[in-house]
Amino acid sequence: MFIFSILSQIIKAFRAGETPAQIAAGFGVGFLIGLMPFWTLQGVLLFLLLLFVNINMAAGSLAMLVAGFIAFLLDPIFHSLGYAVLTWPALQGTWETLYNLPVAPLSRFNNTVVLGSFLGGLVLFAPVFVGMKKLVVSYRSGLEERIKKWKVVQSIRGSKVFEWYIKLRDFGSMS
């Protein structure tokens, strides 16, 4: 039911209310959070950004789920990227200085996968943001009607599980 709730909030946001940039920013930040291990300084700070800045939380939650499922597939690439950056001779002094700072080790930058996934997420942020913004704009300009005609969507909307979810959702909004 959690997935239905997030999807319902995303669809509401797609239809109107928030700007495409707010939805895309929420998705981009959530995607970045989902790609890397969460319990790092940058993961917690990005999550706080998602909570307290005027961006779409539902899009961020969906993106965290999506990115979390694909992140483990990308871990070998992130490891290679992190290893290359950590062993780059010109940056050795920077890593030593950062490691000796009181708060910097909480970022776990010395872990190849953490550093690689953070850098990879930063590189992917712009394309994810632009792509999501274009998706929201096209959805609002007529894509919604075409999606409603898909057999998959019609079968989901006609299912007992979906009807049960709608009843629960409507019951919760009455109180």
Side-chain angles (χ1 to χ4, degrees), residues 101-122:
L101 293 174
V103 178
L106 296 175
S107 69
R108 293 177 41 205
F109 67 86
N110 57 335
N111 182 310
T112 57
V113 175
V114 172
L115 181 62
S117 61
F118 181 67
L119 294 174
L122 288 177

Side-chain angles (χ1 to χ4, degrees), residues 10 19 30 54 65 80-81 89 93 110 124 127 131 133 141 148 172:
I10 288 287
T19 67
N54 190 14
L65 288 172
S80 298
L81 176 62
N110 57 335
L124 290 174
K133 190 173 176 183
S141 67
K148 284 182 179 179

Side-chain angles (χ1 to χ4, degrees), residues 13-27:
F14 268 40
R15 287 185 179 148
E18 295 184 353
T19 67
Q22 287 172 312
I23 297 168
F27 195 86

